[in-house]
Amino acid sequence: MDPWVVLLGWALAIPVIAMAIFRLDRRVDERTVPFMAILAAGIFVAQMLNFPVWGGTTGHLIGATLAVVLLGLNGAIVVMTAILVIQCLVFGDGGLTALGLNLLNMAVIAPLVAYGVLRALKGHEGVAVPVASWASVFLASLACGLMLSASYVISDGAFGIIGSVAIPAMAGWHAVIAIGEAVITSGVVLFLKRVAPEMLEINGLKEAGA
Amino acid sequence: MSRRGYLKAAMGVLLLFAIGLVGYFALSAGSPDGLERVMEDNGVEEGDQLWSAPLDYGGDWGTAFVAGLIGFALTFGAVYLYLKVYLKGGSARRKA
């Protein structure tokens, strides 16, 4: 990645995350702390499990939509940030410089898209959850494609991938991977609705508008 | 949710993870994910890392499970501690 694109990633991601942390205050109370922590840990392990999609390529859950459904937008941004930072620092999954861009894609764009779709389709939860999951992954991957192409242009081909290749390739693979995200997220939400409906109520869709 | 409930949830997540890992090693291990595939197809390599991480995700069933366990515990601990400290700060601010 081109250094300027990396800087831009940090510059865009940090204020949104800071805002989410600041606004979290209204939502968190003693009761929700262990719940948020366990959800974050659950998403961490879910991200390790790749599933095959097509032609030797695999995908794995991002989990942003699940986090938004259960914790609301600010909670999801904070939780996704924690997961990505641990993956980067402890497990070397994604370099330190790329962390800003990863944060922007998966801790900012993905939850924002999920939140937007969930709000737009409020009252149609059966449709809203899968659509939000699919869109969050697809748009985050599109953003990643744009970053790769911007890197290519700015660095004169030294970094990144030319846009006419990067954008369709990222979008194409992730359109399929996102179906996996939609199936898994919907499954988990339906399951929780059945066994622990109170979890869906702490959140979320009801309060998220505030 | 009760303390017992959280314990059950944590066990449930780890059990599903243990089962999921079997499928992962049967079907997906060694195959690139979406971004890795696009980078491979275009001959882009990751640059030198500024930071070398102390752990990785492991290469077989056992080590990957341990890595997942450590990640689970670390993520849980980090978010839990952070929020506890944060809440303390918040209530201090509200009192002030």
Side-chain angles (χ1 to χ4, degrees), chain B residues 8-29:
Chain B
K8 258 167 55 186
M11 288 298 139
V13 170
L14 289 174
L15 185 67
L16 281 178
F17 175 64
I19 297 167
L21 268 182
V22 177
Y24 167 74
F25 280 106
L27 300 170
S28 313

Side-chain angles (χ1 to χ4, degrees), chain A:
Chain A
M1 279 290 176
D2 185 82
W4 287 109
V5 177
V6 168
L7 274 180
L8 185 70
W10 283 108
L12 289 173
I14 287 175
V16 181
I17 293 167
M19 179 81 102
I21 288 175
F22 180 72
R23 294 188 45 172
L24 198 60
D25 214 354
R26 302 181 205 159
R27 305 272 327 242
V28 185
D29 62 46
E30 292 288 331
R31 238 162 27 94
T32 52
V33 168
F35 178 61
M36 287 181 79
I38 218 156
L39 184 72
I43 291 176
F44 179 96
V45 297
Q47 288 198 357
M48 277 180 68
L49 297 172
N50 288 43
F51 47 83
V53 284
W54 191 287
T57 302
T58 65
H60 60 79
L61 198 74
I62 295 180
T65 307
L66 185 60
V68 172
V69 169
L70 295 172
L71 301 173
L73 178 61
N74 295 317
I77 292 175
V78 172
V79 160
M80 294 305 295
T81 301
I83 293 169
L84 290 168
V85 169
I86 290 175
Q87 282 180 342
C88 169
L89 292 183
V90 183
F91 294 95
D93 189 6
L96 192 57
T97 37
L99 181 61
L101 297 172
N102 285 331
L103 284 172
L104 184 60
N105 284 331
M106 291 183 273
V108 173
I109 294 176
L112 278 173
V113 170
Y115 177 75
V117 173
L118 289 171
R119 287 214 62 189
L121 294 176
K122 211 170 182 179
H124 311 274
E125 275 164 46
V127 196
V129 172
V131 172
S133 318
W134 190 87
S136 69
V137 174
F138 184 74
L139 289 177
S141 77
L142 210 57
C144 181
L146 282 173
M147 291 164 184
L148 287 166
S149 9
S151 282
Y152 188 86
V153 173
I154 296 174
S155 68
D156 250 346
F159 299 99
I161 301 170
I162 190 163
S164 57
V165 175
I167 296 171
M170 281 304 286
W173 287 115
H174 288 88
V176 187
I177 292 171
I179 297 174
E181 176 101 10
V183 171
I184 298 172
T185 307
S186 307
V188 174
V189 171
L190 282 178
F191 174 75
L192 288 179
K193 205 175 228 172
R194 183 165 279 201
V195 299
E198 75 277 7
M199 276 190 188
L200 294 164
E201 293 191 358
I202 326 180
N203 91 58
L205 292 183
K206 226 194 288 166
E207 218 182 306

Side-chain angles (χ1 to χ4, degrees), chain B residues 22-60:
Chain B
V22 177
Y24 167 74
F25 280 106
L27 300 170
S28 313
S31 307
D33 70 21
L35 174 61
E36 287 161 0
R37 172 66 186 254
V38 172
M39 288 175 57
E40 261 175 37
D41 287 351
N42 292 282
V44 176
E45 303 212 342
E46 284 183 66
D48 290 336
Q49 302 227 331
L50 285 180
W51 164 260
S52 42
L55 296 173
D56 60 35
Y57 290 140
D60 57 43

